[in-house]
Amino acid sequence: MLKKALFILASLMFCMNICAQKEVISIKEFTKSGNKVSNPDLDAVRAAVSSALSKSERFEIINGEEEAADARYIMEGNVSSCVVTKETIEGNTLYCCKIQYSVKVIDVETSMTILSESYTHPKNPLVAITMAKTNETDAKSTAIKKIADDIEEFIIKAFPIVGTIFAEDYEVDGRDLEYCYINVGRINGVKVGDQFNIYEVKIKVGREVETKIGRLKVVEVDEDIARCKVTRDKREVKKAMDRYLQNSIDNPDAKLLRVKLTSN
């Protein structure tokens, strides 16, 4: 009984610790432009944005105005269009929803806008055909589902996760680098399944120059490190690691291989 109680207490403390490390973001009520957006559609777009932020597991979301004072960041949004059009294609009546919206994130401490982006779905007539549905409800739902991908990209731009590959304890198979560890983990918002691009960093004319050489995928996450599987260009990554190890013998300023979170 005591062991069970201690386990529950430890789990609660762990969860509280992780929550405390998440960035707190307040999502304001979205505004609309013109008369092409209904209030339910406005709420649906905002809910989709909030859901995507929450799914990233990197933020504590605040929706109430009373608690907004505790936020580190504020997100504002505007929806300028949510219109369903009807077309007859080969005798079939199909509906397509066009959504246009924008979001921006503001740093509360500095009052500076970190990032502001605008999005439109469908992006072109060819995409519109793939999004066409047999009724208005499904057409709107299909368009709103696209918001998740937008916000994933937005988070990567606004809140990048950058780390390096440890030059120890990596696993090779012949001339390929198969597994490695990176110096970012759960406290940085990393989770299993995240993908990072790999860069070799060199100093040229006194400045850093990055060359993308591969990609890896997170398979295990600890508090401040993560184990990863190299999924692209394993041989080139191994060559780059060998170059780093050789250069670091005579050059203490040699740069470790760098990783940057990318979309899946």
Side-chain angles (χ1 to χ4, degrees):
M1 187 70 179
L2 177 59
K3 288 183 178 180
K4 184 176 180 181
L6 289 173
F7 175 78
I8 294 173
L9 178 60
S11 299
L12 288 172
M13 291 180 66
F14 174 79
C15 292
M16 290 173 64
N17 185 46
I18 293 302
C19 290
Q21 292 161 348
K22 290 183 178 180
E23 297 287 7
V24 181
I25 184 167
S26 172
I27 306 177
K28 299 293 186 181
E29 293 297 328
F30 281 19
T31 59
K32 58 182 178 179
S33 304
N35 57 1
K36 296 182 179 181
V37 183
S38 68
N39 287 335
D41 292 337
L42 181 67
D43 292 340
V45 172
R46 182 181 180 277
V49 170
S50 178
S51 176
L53 285 170
S54 179
K55 186 179 178 181
S56 74
E57 300 180 10
R58 295 180 58 186
F59 305 96
E60 180 182 347
I61 310 297
I62 293 178
N63 288 303
E65 293 291 333
E66 295 179 357
E67 300 173 335
D70 298 327
R72 176 70 173 81
Y73 302 99
I74 291 175
M75 172 172 276
E76 297 177 350
N78 177 269
V79 184
S80 56
S81 178
C82 185
V83 178
V84 177
T85 56
K86 180 173 68 173
E87 291 188 33
T88 301
I89 302 176
E90 298 181 354
N92 298 314
T93 300
L94 297 175
Y95 298 85
C96 184
C97 178
K98 181 177 182 179
I99 288 181
Q100 292 178 307
Y101 72 102
S102 62
V103 289
K104 70 177 179 179
V105 167
I106 301 167
D107 187 316
V108 173
E109 290 185 1
T110 64
S111 298
M112 297 288 291
T113 297
I114 295 177
L115 183 66
S116 178
E117 295 280 353
S118 297
Y119 302 97
T120 299
H121 292 291
K123 299 182 184 296
N124 57 60
L126 290 178
V127 176
I129 294 174
T130 66
M131 292 174 60
K133 300 297 175 182
T134 56
N135 60 75
E136 293 189 32
T137 300
D138 287 348
K140 284 187 178 182
S141 177
T142 299
I144 287 174
K145 285 179 180 178
K146 297 290 184 182
I147 293 174
D149 292 335
D150 297 340
I151 300 305
E152 181 183 6
E153 293 285 355
F154 185 92
I155 291 170
I156 291 171
K157 288 183 181 179
F159 306 95
I161 299 178
V162 180
T164 55
I165 296 178
F166 286 105
E168 307 90 15
D169 296 327
Y170 57 85
E171 301 173 32
V172 299
D173 181 6
R175 292 183 292 172
D176 297 344
L177 198 153
E178 294 286 345
Y179 290 91
C180 61
Y181 288 89
I182 59 177
N183 68 342
V184 286
R186 194 178 294 110
I187 61 174
N188 307 102
V190 177
K191 60 185 184 296
V192 172
D194 281 348
Q195 298 193 57
F196 288 77
N197 285 328
I198 307 170
Y199 298 84
E200 186 173 19
V201 185
K202 296 181 179 179
I203 304 298
K204 294 183 180 180
V205 198
R207 55 191 286 266
E208 290 188 356
V209 177
E210 296 178 336
T211 302
K212 187 165 72 173
I213 58 172
R215 180 175 286 196
L216 55 75
K217 185 175 183 178
V218 177
V219 294
E220 296 176 25
V221 182
D222 207 335
E223 185 176 8
D224 55 359
I225 63 172
R227 185 170 182 264
C228 307
K229 178 178 176 59
V230 179
T231 56
R232 293 186 190 174
D233 301 307
K234 301 178 181 182
R235 191 153 299 178
E236 186 57 40
V237 175
K238 174 63 166 58
K239 290 179 181 178
M241 180 63 80
D242 289 343
R243 286 192 290 269
Y244 164 76
L245 292 173
Q246 182 63 40
N247 293 337
S248 64
I249 295 174
D250 300 318
N251 179 14
D253 295 325
K255 300 295 182 181
L256 287 161
L257 300 187
R258 186 171 292 165
V259 294
K260 295 182 178 181
L261 181 68
T262 187
S263 55
N264 292 335

